[in-house]
Amino acid sequence: MNRTYSSPLQLAMLAAALVLAFASGAAPSAHAATDNSAAIAAIQAQLATLTAQQAVGTSTGSALFTADLSVGSTGASVTALQRWLIAKGFTIAAGATGSFGGQTRAAVSAWQRSVGVTPVTGYFGPKSRAAANANGATASTPKLSGGSGYLTNITSQGDVESVMSAGDDETKVLGVSVRAQGSDLGLARLDVQFDLSGSSGSTNLNSYVQSVSVYQDGTKLATMNPADGSYQNKVWTLRFNNLNGVLKQGSASSLYVKVTPVDDIRDSETDADVTVTIPAQGLRVVDPQGVSEQYGTSAYTSTFSINQGSLGTLNLTEASDNPKATTLKADTNNTTTNVTLLSFKGKTTYEDAYLRTVPVSLTVTGTTNVSDVVQSISLMKGSTVLSTKTVTTSGATAEVDFDNLNEVVLMDATGAYSVVATVRKIGTGASASAFDSGDTVQATVDTGNGTWDVVDDTGYGSALSGIVLGGIFTLQQTGITVTQVAATANTSVGTTAGSGDNTQYAITFKTTAGDSDLYLARAISRSTAASVSALTWATTTSSNSGVTNVGTAGLSAADTNSSDTAGAYKVPAGSSRTFTLNVTLVEKLVGSAGFTGVQLTGIAYGTTTSFGSAYTSGLDQFKTADKSMTVH
């Protein structure tokens, strides 16, 4: 990450210190006095520019601009105008120089065109001032709380579209999730790149999309015309400056890049792959102390294409209620019904889509045949059963075709569907031991595989895209549910030379037993792999490697049970108990700070104190924040 200091207070203090230094020195020679005066004048000019910048960025009611500006104008008013235009996403390659030249005139013209100021001349006169002041006079710099802060848990978001049609509305094409730690953080800048090397047609980005926007948690922060980006080797780079978004301390926030496809696309650009990327070091944030840092150790990328819309399209995406990996109680005496294995959405563009056949793939582990585990599956739309199929296929992977459907998804609408199963009794199937406790099942829909039959209004086959995987269901004879209650991390600073900071991590979770009494292992092991004989934990995947030593680790219960033993906690059938994993880590890396968090990786349990099973479903979310520690 790169760090700069952009706080106006910091810059003003630095300038004042330099002025005092010049003013308080020994009596200078005539030549030195001239140099000092020039240096002081330069510093004062920079402060004037800074003052103009802040007047624009923090105005709460007075007019932002009061002077007519045109080619040849110079001074703080021009600097303020240039910074304001750049913040709005209009390119001035030379930056805010304080001199109104051809680049500034072009940026003013582009802005005038975008807001309807006429005539579009690049002259910033009364009409332009009125429009600018009405648009920005109440804008204010976001207030940030806290001290020194940083970003963590930067991950890609999957809820984006890969196929669009000309004329579509604004659409998500790339997303990341970020979390602010230590303080609020201001979004200062985001770089977005579009690689057109997958196209044999135009290398102009505006041949594919007419606008690019950045959103934070559903709120639009900025929009750019693709033509205002920079171009090199078929790659367009759009730099969104001064986004004015705020990442609240301790909260996750979603950033999305959205594009609006052009209304008409030529044959040479149709279906060409466009790769959109937030490059490494492409995200800059600033904390309340004015420290600005760039983030992204690697690039975040997705690919989309835009077609002419001559054929209807159907794009599959994951539904918000698509089940994650979990443990499901299966019975030895009865089948288990209404098990939702998969939830997905199908969005159409350009034409209605008529679904005639939808194939679903089922995969099992721990047994030979899918039919040993799954008795039947149904394709559902809400509470309506569209089709039900008995599973008879041999093999660990089977395709089930829901055929003879009469399902219609109207143009530009989204249909929501689910795959619901009836699971057999444990111990049944092709042989008495074919389906055992611990076997797994997973459902998938993949437009690239299977015998899909989807047509549009013209009778032609719709263009299909998307793949959605349901969570892996681990089927156990013993029912168990685990939910997270809290996760905390508190750091104590080392008090002597050579001593490291230490952090006390705590993850609290509630365990609920099903029809049988359960026993949880009290033994603790540090491991990324789950164990059937101990509770396991590890440092988070975002932690720095090898920077801490383990001080202590222990498991405690919020209550007592007379049946608890030295090696096991008992959870009676149908009841819940709350437990806390406590881990203390001590920094050992001399001369550099490390960031470390803790997460659960497995909970050993069973119907006896011998345990034998490991719970892992969803534990990747049972984690603390990463904490910064150092050796003093």
Side-chain angles (χ1 to χ4, degrees):
M1 67 184 68
N2 296 326
R3 174 172 296 195
T4 60
Y5 294 86
S6 57
S7 165
L9 178 59
Q10 290 172 324
L11 294 174
M13 290 175 66
L14 174 60
L18 290 173
V19 171
L20 287 174
F22 282 124
S24 62
S29 65
H31 179 73
T34 300
D35 289 344
N36 287 351
S37 298
I40 292 171
I43 292 171
Q44 290 172 333
Q46 291 184 34
L47 282 173
T49 299
L50 176 62
T51 301
Q53 173 191 352
Q54 288 305 108
V56 173
T58 61
S59 173
T60 57
S62 61
L64 292 173
F65 302 107
T66 58
D68 294 343
L69 302 172
S70 60
V71 173
S73 299
T74 59
S77 295
V78 175
T79 301
L81 173 62
Q82 290 169 327
R83 292 186 184 279
W84 184 78
L85 287 168
I86 292 170
K88 290 291 185 182
F90 297 95
T91 300
I92 301 176
T97 62
S99 178
F100 196 125
Q103 293 180 3
T104 303
R105 180 176 60 186
V108 171
S109 296
W111 169 77
Q112 289 172 329
R113 191 176 296 108
S114 72
V115 296
V117 173
T118 56
V120 177
T121 61
Y123 167 64
F124 194 77
K127 285 185 179 180
S128 295
R129 289 203 315 273
N133 292 337
N135 178 258
T138 59
S140 62
T141 301
K143 183 178 180 181
L144 305 179
S145 300
S148 177
Y150 61 95
L151 276 187
T152 186
N153 293 346
I154 306 175
T155 56
S156 295
Q157 300 278 76
D159 186 20
V160 296
E161 301 291 342
S162 58
V163 176
M164 291 168 280
S165 293
D168 276 358
D169 294 333
E170 194 174 52
T171 304
K172 295 177 182 176
V173 293
L174 179 62
V176 294
S177 175
V178 298
R179 182 182 293 272
Q181 296 290 357
S183 72
D184 294 347
L185 296 172
L187 279 173
R189 190 180 76 201
L190 181 69
D191 290 340
V192 183
Q193 295 179 337
F194 294 84
D195 187 342
L196 303 181
S197 58
S199 172
S200 59
S202 173
T203 57
N204 290 323
L205 182 57
N206 56 12
S207 295
Y208 304 85
V209 299
Q210 52 187 305
S211 67
V212 181
S213 299
V214 174
Y215 283 75
Q216 179 194 355
D217 298 326
T219 300
K220 182 185 288 189
L221 300 182
T223 298
M224 285 187 69
N225 183 326
D228 292 331
S230 61
Y231 174 79
Q232 185 176 13
N233 297 329
K234 290 194 172 184
V235 177
W236 286 85
T237 299
L238 276 62
R239 171 161 288 183
F240 293 87
N241 287 302
N242 301 324
L243 291 172
N244 276 353
V246 176
L247 307 175
K248 302 302 291 184
Q249 178 182 359
S251 298
S253 191
S254 296
L255 303 178
Y256 279 100
V257 177
K258 293 186 180 183
V259 301
T260 302
V262 293
D263 292 329
D264 187 24
I265 192 167
R266 297 181 299 182
D267 289 344
S268 56
E269 283 88 47
T270 298
D271 296 325
D273 286 338
V274 179
T275 300
V276 54
T277 301
I278 296 175
Q281 303 291 308
L283 176 61
R284 181 181 286 279
V285 300
V286 61
D287 69 13
Q289 297 182 349
V291 179
S292 178
E293 296 182 353
Q294 292 177 215
Y295 284 88
T297 57
S298 59
Y300 301 91
T301 299
S302 66
T303 300
F304 67 91
S305 61
I306 300 172
N307 59 49
Q308 290 178 321
S310 58
L311 293 177
T313 67
L314 178 68
N315 182 42
L316 303 187
T317 58
E318 182 179 22
S320 60
D321 59 347
N322 189 39
K324 307 301 181 184
T326 189
T327 297
L328 176 71
K329 182 181 182 299
D331 205 303
T332 56
N333 299 312
N334 301 288
T335 58
T336 303
T337 59
N338 297 319
V339 179
T340 300
L341 298 178
L342 173 67
S343 294
F344 64 96
K345 299 182 297 182
K347 180 184 177 182
T348 61
T349 54
Y350 199 73
E351 301 278 357
D352 298 344
Y354 296 83
L355 280 64
R356 296 173 176 173
T357 301
V358 174
V360 175
S361 176
L362 298 175
T363 302
V364 296
T365 64
T367 188
T368 305
N369 303 310
V370 171
S371 57
D372 293 341
V373 177
V374 180
Q375 179 172 300
S376 63
I377 59 171
S378 299
L379 180 64
M380 309 280 293
K381 183 179 183 180
S383 59
T384 301
V385 178
L386 300 180
S387 180
T388 299
K389 296 290 183 179
T390 300
V391 179
T392 59
T393 308
S394 299
T397 298
E399 180 185 305
V400 178
D401 293 334
F402 293 103
D403 53 7
N404 300 316
L405 298 174
N406 190 27
E407 172 64 11
V408 181
V409 183
L410 298 178
M411 181 180 66
D412 295 326
T414 299
Y417 306 94
S418 59
V419 176
V420 180
T422 296
V423 176
R424 293 185 182 275
K425 298 182 291 185
I426 290 180
T428 60
S431 62
S433 60
F435 175 20
D436 298 320
S437 184
D439 293 350
T440 70
V441 61
Q442 182 180 30
T444 304
V445 287
D446 182 358
T447 56
N449 294 302
T451 53
W452 288 84
D453 186 1
V454 181
V455 298
D456 62 18
D457 286 329
T458 66
Y460 289 99
S462 297
L464 306 177
S465 63
I467 175 172
V468 181
L469 285 74
I472 298 175
F473 283 73
T474 301
L475 306 167
Q476 298 283 4
Q477 185 173 344
T478 304
I480 179 174
T481 302
V482 181
T483 56
Q484 181 173 325
V485 176
T488 61
N490 297 294
T491 300
S492 299
V493 177
T495 57
T496 60
S499 64
D501 297 339
N502 69 84
T503 299
Q504 296 77 45
Y505 301 90
I507 300 176
T508 302
F509 57 94
K510 182 172 72 173
T511 300
T512 302
D515 299 337
S516 304
D517 294 344
L518 291 183
Y519 293 89
L520 267 62
R522 298 180 71 161
I524 297 175
S525 174
R526 180 176 180 177
S527 173
T528 57
S531 167
V532 296
S533 59
L535 180 145
T536 53
W537 66 274
T539 54
T540 57
T541 55
S542 55
S543 298
N544 295 122
S545 177
V547 298
T548 58
N549 290 320
V550 179
T552 60
L555 182 67
S556 61
D559 60 356
T560 59
N561 186 296
S562 59
S563 298
D564 290 345
T565 68
Y569 287 113
K570 181 179 180 180
V571 183
S575 67
S576 300
R577 294 186 70 184
T578 299
F579 304 93
T580 299
L581 168 67
N582 293 286
V583 176
T584 300
L585 297 180
V586 181
E587 178 70 17
K588 68 177 183 179
L589 185 63
V590 178
S592 178
F595 292 95
T596 308
V598 168
Q599 69 181 58
L600 274 177
T601 57
I603 301 171
Y605 74 98
T607 56
T608 69
T609 55
S610 297
F611 315 116
S613 298
Y615 185 93
T616 59
S617 301
L619 292 189
D620 58 331
Q621 299 302 311
F622 287 45
K623 59 186 177 182
T624 70
D626 295 343
K627 301 295 286 187
S628 175
M629 293 185 286
T630 189
V631 173
H632 298 274

